[in-house]
Amino acid sequence: MTHIVNEVTAYDRKRMKVTLDEGDVTFLLYKGEMRSAGMTADAENQEIDVASYRKIMDEILLPRGKKRAVHYLEKGDRTEFQIRAKLKEGLYPECVIEGVMEWLRKYKFADDERLTENYVNQMAGYYSRREIEAKLFRKGLKGENVKQVLDGISYEDEYAACERALLKKGADTEKKKLFAYLAGKGFSFDMIEECIEKNCSAEDY
């Protein structure tokens, strides 16, 4: 199957944006890579045969995508969702992104289960289970594994987080406002009541 070059435009001073097959595939190539793939800046309507297409995907974009992902991971642990988003931002085609992710999983560079466990261990005692779950969701971490890890948060950690939030808000805050504040953070009513009774004097509420 051949592919048709629909558009080639300058993306920046070094790279060209190439669009194939009516926009189905878009990627960036350096000018030297363009020449290596047998393409020119005025390659619109040029046909790309299977061998040339595979060379672009497997020999040019895939190795570059791996380097970009590793460089991104050097700055800290990232979820698969975050890595994918970074590669999409760099206009890597979906087939290349899948290849990069498969390679990262193989060598344990991308491990959402480990990342979930580490993150929950760090956050437990500081945030409510619901807050931690929301933070994980924003990182693209969800599903049965996340639920299992969250289920491992102890009562003691949840209470410590509730007490920390209460003291930060101020133990002298009106009980009604304090209750609403802690409930909004996802703590149970029973835990809030216990925490208030322990930390607030009777005259405060």
Side-chain angles (χ1 to χ4, degrees):
M1 174 183 175
T2 60
H3 299 269
I4 304 297
V5 178
N6 298 122
E7 188 176 31
V8 179
T9 56
Y11 186 77
D12 54 29
R13 292 197 305 174
K14 295 181 178 180
R15 294 174 297 176
M16 305 297 288
K17 179 181 176 182
V18 181
T19 302
L20 306 182
D21 305 331
E22 301 298 332
D24 288 345
V25 182
T26 300
F27 50 85
L28 301 178
L29 290 179
Y30 288 90
K31 294 177 181 179
E33 294 171 342
M34 292 274 294
R35 291 191 293 271
S36 175
M39 300 173 63
T40 61
D42 59 350
E44 292 182 15
N45 298 319
Q46 177 182 341
E47 288 191 359
I48 305 294
D49 61 26
V50 173
S52 297
Y53 181 79
R54 293 271 38 110
K55 176 182 176 68
I56 293 169
M57 298 296 145
D58 300 339
E59 299 179 27
I60 297 175
L61 295 178
L62 181 58
R64 177 145 51 84
K66 290 177 181 179
K67 289 181 181 178
R68 184 179 179 90
V70 170
H71 178 69
Y72 185 48
L73 288 166
E74 286 175 351
K75 300 177 182 178
D77 283 335
R78 311 289 183 179
T79 65
E80 289 195 17
F81 175 82
Q82 290 172 313
I83 297 168
R84 286 179 179 276
K86 193 67 175 179
L87 293 172
K88 287 180 181 178
E89 182 183 293
L91 297 184
Y92 287 88
E94 191 60 36
C95 64
V96 172
I97 293 175
E98 285 299 329
V100 172
M101 298 310 304
E102 183 178 344
W103 178 78
L104 290 174
R105 292 189 205 103
K106 178 180 178 180
Y107 292 101
K108 301 297 182 181
F109 290 127
D111 188 339
D112 279 0
E113 290 188 15
R114 173 185 58 80
L115 190 57
T116 299
E117 291 175 2
N118 290 345
Y119 193 82
V120 171
N121 288 337
Q122 291 171 6
M123 296 294 104
Y126 293 88
Y127 298 92
S128 71
R129 170 187 165 132
R130 196 175 79 182
E131 288 178 303
I132 295 172
E133 185 175 19
K135 288 175 182 291
L136 292 172
F137 186 83
R138 287 194 292 270
K139 290 178 177 289
L141 295 169
K142 52 188 175 180
E144 187 59 33
N145 173 64
V146 170
K147 182 179 181 301
Q148 289 177 2
V149 177
L150 289 170
D151 286 344
I153 296 176
S154 68
Y155 180 89
E156 291 75 18
D157 278 337
E158 189 76 351
Y159 184 86
C162 185
E163 189 170 54
R164 184 184 295 271
L166 181 151
L167 295 175
K168 183 177 180 181
K169 182 70 173 176
D172 58 348
T173 303
E174 183 184 349
K175 180 183 178 183
K176 186 183 297 184
K177 292 181 180 179
L178 194 55
F179 205 101
Y181 172 74
L182 295 173
K185 286 185 167 292
F187 298 106
S188 71
F189 290 169
D190 288 343
M191 180 171 288
I192 294 171
E193 191 67 39
E194 179 184 349
C195 198
I196 288 177
E197 288 181 0
K198 179 181 176 181
N199 290 278
C200 304
S201 61
E203 55 266 28
D204 289 333
Y205 55 91

